[in-house]
């Protein structure tokens, strides 16, 4: 199987023959394939490892510190990402040189053309259109506009359904732990929390369908649709999803004719070629301070408009998707996770008090409320069962009602 190793050097692939190897054996494979000595390695399934700066900070990541633990017990399987921090420098193996000319196989014109990567635009998306639940879209844009004032970036994962015709409907937005600045957005993804989100989505008959993020006021003065950093983040998430209809949505402020500002949504897919270039390791993932944000850097020359270059205009990689809206099955009035204020049982009590005239199933038909409840329920049975009742708008079993009321009472 293949797992992916993310370090300060970017994303690399690691070939593993046995899915039940121990952490010690995994470290040995990293040493042999990626040239990082075992004694220099710190591994974790937590992305925050990559922003730890000092040895004491790094030493807090202990989930993969026991060398005898089988990696399968940590949920590491084909396609998983493991984060790697290491001391010092490493030697990366160079390309294998095959002789040409009289000492080896001759290069034909066809071979030369095949070796060139041509960058062309993709006209049609795999996603026919994306439609937003009005309340979910409004809850996201209201926070970034009113609270963050579009000063720092914010992002979230969109969940909903995909029809056979490729129509994507977004019914809720999950906002993971994150750190946003004016130029960059670091998602501090929490695997345990994401398991709860996936269990809720499963019960609701939904799945992860895309990524939404904001551009800041400082960015909108610059002349690009998406920056090179945004392209890298978007293509990484689209490639990870393996969903051909996966959609990326960007939210920004635009000056209107009256001199005021309107919140504007734009939807894209990264082109098939962009995803292939990402998977094949063509993108330069380290972005220098003087790099032009309009251009994505390649590790090798590509052909754009008949010219060889290592810099590609980001717009080549974008395929525009039409945006619509709809009224989905969920409400979106409960406080959202991982924002400036912590969500507590007091919020649950206030919400239930405010909605007491509605049927109980209607009162809990809110993803963000379900996520709070899920932290106290069994992820494999209770969470999908409760979400399943919401999906069917069926009567909530009395046991769950008593439990939820008592949780609210504790607030």
């Amino acid at each position: 199987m293949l797992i992916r190793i993310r370090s300060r050097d970017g994303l690399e692939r690691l070939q593993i023959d046995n899915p039940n190897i121990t952490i010690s054996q995994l470290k040995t494979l990293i040493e042999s394939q990626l040239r990082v000595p075992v004694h220099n390695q710190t591994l974790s399934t937590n992305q925050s490892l990559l922003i730890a700066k000092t040895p004491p900070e790094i030493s807090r990541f202990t989930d993969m510190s026991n060398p005898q633990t089988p990696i399968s017990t940590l949920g590491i399987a084909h396609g998983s990402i493991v984060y790697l921090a290491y001391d010092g420098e490493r030697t990366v193996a160079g390309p294998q040189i095959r002789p040409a000319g009289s000492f080896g196989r001759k290069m034909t014109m066809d071979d030369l053309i095949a070796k060139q990567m041509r960058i062309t635009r993709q006209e049609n998306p795999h996603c026919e259109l994306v439609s937003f639940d009005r309340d979910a879209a409004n809850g996201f844009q209201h926070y970034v506009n009113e609270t963050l004032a579009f000063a720092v970036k914010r992002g979230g994962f969109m969940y909903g359904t995909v029809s056979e015709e490729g129509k994507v409907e977004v019914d809720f937005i999950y906002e993971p732990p994150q750190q946003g600045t004016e130029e960059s957005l670091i998602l501090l993804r929490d695997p345990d929390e994401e398991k709860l989100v996936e269990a809720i989505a499963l019960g609701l008959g939904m799945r992860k369908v895309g990524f939404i993020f904001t551009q800041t006021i400082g960015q909108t003065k610059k002349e690009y649709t998406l920056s090179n950093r945004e392209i890298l983040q978007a293509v990484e998430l689209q490639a990870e999803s393996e969903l051909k209809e996966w959609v990326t949505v960007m939210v920004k402020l635009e000056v209107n004719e009256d001199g005021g500002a309107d919140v504007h949504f734009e939807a894209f897919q990264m082109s098939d070629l962009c995803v292939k270039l990402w998977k094949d390791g063509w993108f330069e993932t380290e972005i220098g301070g003087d790099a032009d944000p309009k251009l994505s850097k390649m590790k090798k020359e590509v052909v754009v408009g008949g010219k060889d270059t290592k810099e590609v205009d980001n717009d080549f990689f974008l395929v525009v998707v039409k945006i619509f809206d709809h009224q989905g099955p969920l409400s979106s009035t409960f406080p959202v996770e991982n924002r400036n204020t912590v969500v507590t049982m007091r919020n649950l009590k206030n919400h239930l008090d405010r909605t007491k005239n509605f049927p109980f199933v209607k009162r809990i038909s809110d993803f963000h409320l379900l996520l709070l409840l899920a932290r106290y329920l069994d992820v494999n049975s209770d969470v999908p069962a409760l979400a399943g009742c919401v999906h069917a708008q069926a009567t909530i079993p009395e046991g769950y009602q008593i439990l939820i009321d008592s949780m609210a009472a504790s607030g």
Side-chain angles (χ1 to χ4, degrees):
M1 69 180 191
L2 276 177
I3 66 169
R4 294 171 290 175
I5 305 294
R6 176 171 272 285
S7 69
R8 67 192 191 209
D9 305 315
L11 200 65
E12 297 169 275
R13 286 168 176 71
L14 190 75
Q15 182 74 43
I16 293 176
D17 295 328
N18 175 7
N20 297 312
I21 61 169
T22 62
I23 289 171
S24 171
Q25 291 166 317
L26 175 65
K27 287 187 168 185
T28 303
L29 285 175
I30 291 172
E31 182 175 65
S32 64
Q33 292 182 39
L34 305 183
R35 305 288 199 280
V36 179
V38 169
H39 61 272
N40 285 351
Q41 298 175 27
T42 301
L43 300 179
S44 178
T45 54
N46 186 337
Q47 185 177 13
S48 303
L49 174 66
L50 298 187
I51 55 173
K53 296 284 189 290
T54 62
E57 285 176 356
I58 291 171
S59 67
R60 290 190 198 128
F61 295 85
T62 56
D63 59 319
M64 294 183 70
S65 59
N66 183 347
Q68 302 312 317
T69 303
I71 63 170
S72 56
T73 63
L74 300 171
I76 297 169
H78 180 71
S80 295
I81 297 181
V82 173
Y83 300 93
L84 163 67
Y86 66 91
D87 298 329
E89 302 299 326
R90 63 169 166 152
T91 309
V92 179
Q96 292 183 326
I97 308 296
R98 283 209 186 90
S102 58
F103 295 104
R105 189 170 68 81
K106 280 195 170 70
M107 294 289 281
T108 65
M109 190 55 73
D110 286 342
D111 290 332
L112 285 169
I113 291 169
K115 282 190 171 297
Q116 291 181 314
M117 179 61 81
R118 282 179 153 64
I119 307 296
T120 54
R121 293 183 193 274
Q122 178 179 324
E123 295 303 322
N124 298 313
H126 298 291
C127 172
E128 177 67 22
L129 62 89
V130 59
S131 181
F132 271 95
D133 171 80
R134 293 182 201 97
D135 293 338
N138 191 52
F140 184 77
Q141 69 91 8
H142 186 268
Y143 177 68
V144 297
N145 193 10
E146 300 294 326
T147 304
L148 302 182
F150 280 95
V152 295
K153 291 172 78 68
R154 184 80 187 165
F157 289 111
M158 306 185 296
Y159 281 76
T161 56
V162 184
S163 73
E164 286 182 11
E165 303 80 45
K167 176 182 169 189
V168 172
E169 287 199 346
V170 176
D171 287 316
F172 71 82
I173 298 168
Y174 158 64
E175 297 176 27
Q178 56 195 276
Q179 285 180 344
T181 67
E182 187 180 12
E183 298 285 341
S184 69
L185 175 64
I186 298 171
L187 300 179
L188 304 169
R189 295 174 67 177
D190 178 345
D192 292 332
E193 187 170 86
E194 288 192 28
K195 276 185 191 135
L196 300 178
V197 177
E198 291 296 327
I200 294 167
L202 181 71
L204 292 171
M206 299 177 190
R207 63 163 298 162
K208 197 189 297 181
V209 294
F211 175 56
I212 185 170
F213 69 92
T214 59
Q215 283 188 342
T216 58
I217 293 172
Q219 284 185 287
T220 50
K221 295 173 187 151
K222 301 183 178 163
E223 296 185 358
Y224 54 72
T225 313
L226 262 62
S227 72
N228 44 17
R229 289 180 198 278
E230 289 164 350
I231 291 280
L232 285 175
Q233 188 164 43
V235 71
E236 180 178 2
L237 293 170
Q238 184 168 322
E240 176 191 304
S241 79
E242 310 254 317
L243 176 68
K244 77 174 191 302
E245 296 89 357
W246 179 272
V247 64
T248 298
V249 176
M250 179 262 287
V251 185
K252 64 178 180 178
L253 273 185
E254 277 200 344
V255 178
N256 59 30
E257 292 161 359
D258 306 326
D262 294 327
V263 178
H264 191 65
F265 284 64
E266 291 180 26
F268 307 95
Q269 284 197 287
M270 302 303 116
S271 69
D272 296 346
L273 181 58
C274 180
V275 174
K276 178 175 167 38
L277 289 169
W278 168 262
K279 286 183 171 177
D280 292 348
W282 284 69
F283 277 92
E284 189 64 72
T285 52
E286 292 296 320
I287 297 174
D290 57 347
D292 184 342
K294 290 198 299 287
L295 303 172
S296 289
K297 275 211 163 88
M298 301 289 127
K299 290 178 181 172
K300 295 181 280 190
E301 286 197 330
V302 294
V303 182
V304 181
K307 293 180 181 169
D308 290 354
T309 179
K310 282 188 174 178
E311 295 184 325
V312 181
D313 188 310
N314 300 333
D315 284 357
F316 271 100
F317 296 133
L318 301 177
V319 191
V320 175
V321 175
K322 295 176 289 192
I323 296 186
F324 291 79
D325 65 357
H326 67 276
Q327 195 64 53
L330 302 173
S331 66
S332 197
T333 57
F334 194 75
V336 175
E337 62 285 343
N338 300 314
R339 287 187 175 175
N340 291 342
T341 51
V342 178
V343 183
T344 66
M345 291 303 169
R346 167 67 57 179
N347 298 118
L348 179 62
K349 182 177 188 314
N350 292 343
H351 178 89
L352 292 178
D353 287 347
R354 199 170 58 245
T355 56
K356 59 176 176 286
N357 294 329
F358 292 100
F360 199 86
V361 66
K362 209 76 179 156
R363 297 163 76 191
I364 66 165
S365 294
D366 185 310
F367 161 74
H368 308 289
L369 182 150
L370 290 172
L371 183 56
L372 176 68
L373 298 180
R375 299 183 198 283
Y376 304 92
L377 300 171
D378 184 283
V379 68
N380 296 313
S381 58
D382 295 334
V383 176
L386 193 59
C389 291
V390 170
H391 179 42
Q393 287 294 291
T395 303
I396 303 293
E398 189 182 7
Y400 284 135
Q401 291 196 36
I402 293 168
L403 179 63
I404 293 166
D405 282 334
S406 68
M407 287 162 75
S410 72

